[in-house]
Structures are given as C-alpha cells and as structure tokens.
Amino acid sequence: MDYARVLKLPQYFRNLQRLSEIVRVLIRHGFGDLVDRLGLRSYLESGLQAMRIQLRPERPLALDISTRLRLACEELGPTFIKFAQLVATRPDVFPLAVVREFRKLEDRVTAFPTEQAKQVIEKDLSRSLDRIFSAFDEIPLAAASIAQVHRATLLSGQRVVVKVQRPSIERIIETDIDILRGLATLIEENIPETRIFSPLELIEEFARGLRRECDFRREAFNMRKFAENFSSEPAIIVPKVFNQFSSRRVLTEELIEGVKIDDLDSIRALDLKGQDLAAILSRIVLKSIFEDRFFHADPHPGNLFVTKEGRICLVDYGAVGRLDRSRIRFILQFLVAVLNNDLDKTVRVLKESGMTPNALDEAALKNQIAEIFDVHLSQPLGNMDISHLLADIFEVVQRYGIRPPPDLLLIGKSLTTLEHIGALLDPQFDLIKNIKPYLLQRYLATLADRKFYVSHAADVADTYRRLIAESPERLRVVLRKLASDEIVVNSVNKDLSSTFRHQNSMLNRALTVFMGVIFAALGILILSFRTPHTHPSLAYSLIALGALLLLVAWLAMRKTGGPA
C-alpha cells in the first residue's frame, strides 16, 4: 500500500519519524495486532531501519485494553492526550470502559523553559518584557499540553496571570493531526465495522476544536461573553482580560486568588459552607446551558476556584459549547422525558434527533431503556445517580446505532461533573432533586416562547419558498433527462398494458400530490409574509385548492389500496 498517498503528508520525512514513534508506542503497549491489521509494520520497516530505530517485540501485558490505551496516549504527548479527552466525552462512539479510563487523563506536562515563554510574549506583543510587567515569575504556576501560566504584575500594579503558548505546538499538532487523519483513513478501509462511527469525521471534529483552542483570541472572547452573562451574579467571578497585552499566543488576565473547589480542608479553613458553594455551582452550570446557551465545556475541579469571600471562579475558557433555540428545546425534551420516566417520549425524541439508523428495532430499544429506567428511576430520590443513568442510556443507544448529538453529551458531562463536585461539597446534595423542577420550568418556558415559534414558522416558510423556487428547474432537469432517455425504468411484466396503466396512475397521483403541496405551500407563504395591503383571500384559495388536490389523491390511493 502506498502509505504516503493515503496520508497525503506535505512533510513526509518528518511525519514518518513521528509515525514510527507512534507505531513503537502502540507495539510496546500491546497493540501489535492493530499495527499489523492496518499494514503499518511492514511498510515502516525500511523507514525505521534507515533511521536506525529498532522495534521492540511486543510483550504480554496484564493490564486491560482501556488502561493500555490511556498509557499509550500519555506517552504520545499533547495531541493524543487532547484526543483522548475528546474520546472521554463521546460514550455514543466509544465503549464506556474506554471513556471512563480516559477521564482519568490530566492535561499536565513538563513546563518548557521560561526564557522561551518570554520570547513568545515579546514577539507577539512587539515590546520588551520590562515595558509590560514590573515583575514576572520565572517558575510557571501550571503547565499543560498547549500552554503554561506565569504570575506577573503589570506596570500599573495589577496582578495578572499570563498564559503563554508552547513554542512550535501548532506545528506539532498539525503533524499529529495529519497522521491521525491518515490512520483514520486506514481504519475505515481495513476495519469496516468502524465506518458507522466515521473515524475520519471524528478526527476532523477534533482538529477544528484543537485549532480553536490554540487561538487565545477566541478564549478571550469567551471570557468576555461569560462575564457579560453573569454580570448580575455577585457570587460568580470571571477574570478580566487585558486585551492590550493579549494575542493569538498570549493571554493576560486578572489574577484571582483562591483554592481549588475540591480542596475541602482549605474551604473549611475559610469558614465557607459547602452547601452554599454547591448551590452557586449549580447556578453556573444550569444558567449557562439552559438560559444563556453558552457554557464551559470542561468544568472539572482543576478549572474551579473558590475565593475567601465564597465566590466561585471558573478558568480556562478554551473549549465552550453553544446551543441554538431548537437544540436546547430538544435537549430539554430529552432530559424531562428521562427524569419523568416517560419511555415513549424518550425514544421519540431520540428518533426525532435525526441520528437514528433506518432499520431501528424500536421495540427492542424500548425494552432496553425500560430496564434502565427500572434500575435507576425506582431508587429513592436521594440515591439516584444521573451520571450512571445517562451513561447507561448512551451505552444502549450506541448498540442500536443511534448517535446522540455531541452537545447533548457535553451537557451530560457537565451535569455529571456538577453531581460529583456538588456531592463532594455537600453530602446531602441531590442533583436530580435540584434540577428536575428547573428543567421542567425551562421546558415549559420554551413551549411558551413566541420567538421560537416565529423563528420556526420563518424557517418553514423559507423551506417552502426554496421548494417553490427550485421546483421548475428540478422539473426541467427531469423532463430533459426523460427526453434524452437518461432515465430508464426497467420493468418485467407479462401484462404490459396493465403495467403502463399502473405507471400512469402512479404518475398522475404523484403529480396531484406535488401540485397540492405547491399550492398549499404558496398560500402559507403568502400568509406568512402578508403586508397590510395584501388581501388574504388569494392565500386561502390556494390553500383550499392544495387541500382539495391532496384529498383527491388520498381518495384515489384509498380506493386502490395504497399508492401502488
């Protein structure tokens, strides 16, 4: 196999070196069979010899597959750690054992030299460090895969933290993404059963998210947006961004002193009540998702701090989720149906999401979800665990080929984190008891939201408008193809005259239905965009004519036992 052609790598030799490292790590962790199945070992043999790299023989490992995958990702570095963290948010695609193991991954790596951080700052901000800061800590406050953070003091005396991107990290990421894209292509070609989950599409989604995260200007915007949304909430604090000292690779923000939200000893030392903090955290998560439709996509304990005044500060806004009105309505429908033990509605909402396969065994799916409801929803309210409830549902729907929307999975992750931290802060914290009335209230509010119906009606009208506008051209194409014999209908029937009569009947009914829809849609369109000078009688006449044609077609089909 011409692997260079499959990967389409612009800098082949550099990527071959990285690919050889990936292969060695996979083999060392017991995935030699996967390497062989993808045809990598034989292809890379000459390249590895040229670079004097020796592949170690695969050794038997006592660890399970999920653990070995996690260890391999940790060894392969930033891009693979980030990818594993994405996998941890996709129980619809990956086995739950892998998802749970990858959730253990922490984005902590060795810091890069402070001198390099200073060079990045001076290059990006086009000024020397002493013209920006009166003090700059040499020892990083924290180091992650994409950037590290330093404390500093501006010339004004304002204490800040400076987030500096790792030198050459974007080049490293692009190399790894090229290789992952090539591996995904090979996986789809050589392991057909993976195609249902579109590995290549998953890599592209990951690449888009990682590139956004590498642009700190986006994170600065996210912080300003979050601060605006919570400007009336005194218990919630978002660090101020200093735009004049920020760029694509540098982010300077206000230093907020506090302790990590899971540091219970420090919280008790500050004489703060866990119950109050759990309530504030609930407000942050629920408001940002269901009211603002703009939420932090990774609210783990490492990103949450508590100040001595009892305020909660959320940091690291590189990854956020956005929802439109129709999507939030779908998510509310799903969660309300689940929490109300409404089996039929739960399955119906999943089907309406558009992520279901054509041949869905709905009865079997209902039975599986009913068993999950019996296990979880029969528990006393205080014993119910929403994280396990959602995880079990996602695992079942995955087996039936249903792929829930990624934003639903992100919200599930946020609610799971809220449940975990809330219980840590307050042993009496009951997430379901807290969110069930809130979700019902928000769902009822969406049903009464006039903006949603106006927007939906406009979308429907626009769909009909495009249908009407495009129909003549589509009809012309069909007629042209018929005239040039490009459309061929193969039919084997002893009674040809009967066949022709049958086909003519089918065509007549189809045209009747088509014209009925066109007239009715035109009438609806006229009503939707009616001005004070437009008389509605024409619209009503068109709708009536359309309805009459549809009625005629229906009666004809009923008379002959169906459309055939």
Side-chain angles (χ1 to χ4, degrees), residues 32-302:
D33 56 340
L34 176 62
V35 170
D36 290 334
R37 192 168 180 185
L38 297 180
L40 294 174
R41 194 193 302 254
S42 59
Y43 179 80
L44 289 174
E45 189 176 7
S46 58
L48 297 177
Q49 288 174 353
M51 291 180 283
R52 297 181 181 178
I53 294 172
Q54 194 74 28
L55 282 178
R56 296 185 200 174
E58 182 179 332
R59 63 178 185 267
L61 296 172
L63 300 173
D64 61 74
I65 291 176
S66 303
T67 304
R68 286 188 278 127
L69 277 172
R70 175 178 60 80
L71 293 172
C73 288
E74 285 178 340
E75 188 173 344
L76 287 169
T79 309
F80 285 82
I81 290 173
K82 286 286 185 183
F83 182 67
Q85 289 173 333
L86 170 67
V87 169
T89 68
R90 299 299 302 269
D92 61 315
V93 175
F94 299 96
L96 274 181
V98 174
V99 168
R100 287 170 179 151
E101 187 65 30
F102 280 7
R103 283 174 182 167
K104 298 176 184 177
L105 279 168
E106 293 189 356
D107 191 7
R108 293 178 185 170
V109 295
T110 305
F112 60 90
T114 299
E115 196 57 40
Q116 291 183 9
K118 291 178 179 179
Q119 290 170 6
V120 170
I121 295 171
E122 290 181 339
K123 181 177 180 181
D124 269 40
L125 301 184
S126 302
R127 64 188 92 179
S128 62
L129 219 66
D130 57 8
R131 292 178 57 199
I132 307 171
F133 308 110
S134 60
F136 187 88
D137 282 8
E138 295 288 327
I139 301 174
L141 185 63
S145 56
I146 290 178
Q148 68 187 32
V149 176
H150 291 262
R151 291 175 186 261
T153 305
L154 296 176
L155 295 177
S156 64
Q158 172 71 52
R159 299 182 69 197
V160 295
V161 292
V162 187
K163 184 175 180 179
V164 188
Q165 192 172 114
R166 287 180 173 272
S168 304
I169 188 64
E170 290 187 272
R171 179 182 61 79
I172 294 168
I173 286 172
E174 288 303 324
T175 298
D176 284 348
I177 286 174
D178 278 340
I179 292 171
L180 282 170
R181 190 181 287 118
L183 292 174
T185 302
L186 285 178
I187 287 170
E188 288 189 1
E189 287 179 359
N190 293 281
I191 310 177
E193 57 267 29
T194 65
R195 291 173 192 163
I196 188 174
F197 301 121
S198 305
L200 193 55
E201 185 182 318
L202 189 69
I203 295 300
E204 296 301 340
E205 176 193 335
F206 167 65
R208 287 191 297 271
L210 198 52
R211 289 186 186 115
R212 284 195 296 267
E213 205 169 333
C214 284
D215 187 349
F216 293 169
R217 294 170 300 184
R218 289 179 179 271
E219 183 171 353
F221 169 82
N222 295 339
M223 293 176 72
R224 290 192 295 270
K225 178 74 172 173
F226 221 87
E228 179 186 333
N229 290 343
F230 285 93
S231 58
S232 61
E233 305 274 352
I236 299 161
I237 183 169
V238 180
K240 177 185 175 182
V241 176
F242 294 88
N243 294 318
Q244 66 272 38
F245 306 123
S246 300
S247 66
R248 179 182 175 83
R249 298 192 298 164
V250 178
L251 179 63
T252 303
E253 59 188 77
E254 175 188 8
L255 172 66
I256 305 295
E257 296 283 3
V259 300
K260 285 189 176 181
I261 201 164
D262 58 353
D263 186 352
L264 300 184
D265 291 337
S266 297
I267 288 173
R268 280 192 287 267
L270 292 171
D271 198 25
L272 299 174
K273 293 182 179 178
Q275 183 179 1
D276 294 339
L277 296 175
I280 296 170
L281 183 59
S282 296
R283 176 64 181 156
I284 293 174
V285 173
L286 297 177
K287 179 182 184 297
S288 61
I289 294 173
F290 298 106
E291 296 176 41
D292 303 329
R293 308 192 308 279
F294 182 85
F295 61 97
H296 197 293
D298 194 20
H300 63 75

